Amino acid sequence: LKALGPEHSSTAITYHSIGNVLHNQGKYEDAMRQYQKALKIQLKALGSEHSDTAQIYHNIATAFGAQGKYEDAMQQYQKALEIKLKALGSEHSDTAITYHAIGTVLKDQGKYEDAMQQYQKAYEIQLKALGPEHSDTVATVISIAKVLYNQGKYCSLISFLIW
């Protein structure tokens, strides 16, 4: 804070990182306070259409989702997605991560068809951008498999995994 000041983007990154640590400890309310500090600074320093700002929205959404606050999570993921689509484009792997996260919120709500659509978007991007063996792509394949299993679509599941 002394070297760069309270409104520098590096200060925001520090608050964001502290928020991530708190989130990983299950301290979601504390994490949210750090994310909000980071967001306030990033909006001033970098603006509302920067990919770093989108990442903060994404992490706020993740904290909401972990608390079962799905509507709040969806609102924040939608903000993150809109920014990522503008800043990074529709074929970027970071955009795919947000599609995957939206799919997870929908899955957790039992909205399997909607979740599947989001996972498919993520998978198509990841396959092109990262390849079939990347851990993000594999995570999406696993998520798709879980949705098919939860729906009782065992033949589709087997076909998908063999393909």
Side-chain angles (χ1 to χ4, degrees):
L1 281 172
K2 288 182 182 178
L4 299 173
E7 295 186 3
H8 194 277
S9 64
S10 291
T11 304
I13 291 168
T14 301
Y15 283 128
H16 192 196
S17 296
I18 292 168
N20 288 339
V21 169
L22 292 166
H23 179 103
N24 290 337
Q25 294 174 339
K27 299 176 182 177
Y28 304 118
E29 294 299 325
D30 294 335
M32 196 69 76
R33 282 190 282 282
Q34 298 302 312
Y35 291 149
Q36 291 297 337
K37 288 179 187 178
L39 181 61
K40 183 178 178 183
I41 296 167
Q42 288 296 51
L43 287 170
K44 280 186 181 179
L46 300 175
S48 63
E49 295 187 3
H50 194 279
S51 61
D52 288 352
T53 304
Q55 190 57 48
I56 297 170
Y57 283 124
H58 183 102
N59 288 356
I60 290 170
T62 302
F64 278 134
Q67 298 173 79
K69 298 178 181 177
Y70 300 124
E71 294 306 315
D72 293 330
M74 287 298 288
Q75 289 175 356
Q76 298 302 307
Y77 281 135
Q78 288 299 332
K79 287 180 186 179
L81 182 60
E82 288 174 22
I83 296 166
K84 287 181 179 185
L85 286 169
K86 287 179 187 175
L88 303 173
S90 62
E91 300 292 316
H92 196 280
S93 60
D94 283 351
T95 304
I97 289 170
T98 300
Y99 280 126
H100 186 270
I102 291 169
T104 299
V105 170
L106 293 166
K107 176 189 65 72
D108 290 347
Q109 293 177 298
K111 299 177 181 177
Y112 298 126
E113 292 300 323
D114 294 335
M116 187 63 80
Q117 290 175 1
Q118 298 302 310
Y119 287 145
Q120 282 296 134
K121 287 178 187 178
Y123 178 69
E124 289 169 14
I125 295 167
Q126 291 165 334
L127 206 53
K128 289 179 191 173
L130 304 172
E133 295 182 12
H134 190 278
S135 60
D136 288 351
T137 309
V138 172
T140 301
V141 168
I142 292 168
S143 294
I144 290 170
K146 286 179 181 180
V147 168
L148 291 170
Y149 180 83
N150 288 342
Q151 291 178 303
K153 296 183 177 179
Y154 306 119
C155 291
S156 296
L157 172 59
I158 292 167
S159 297
F160 177 73
L161 294 175
I162 292 172
W163 179 70

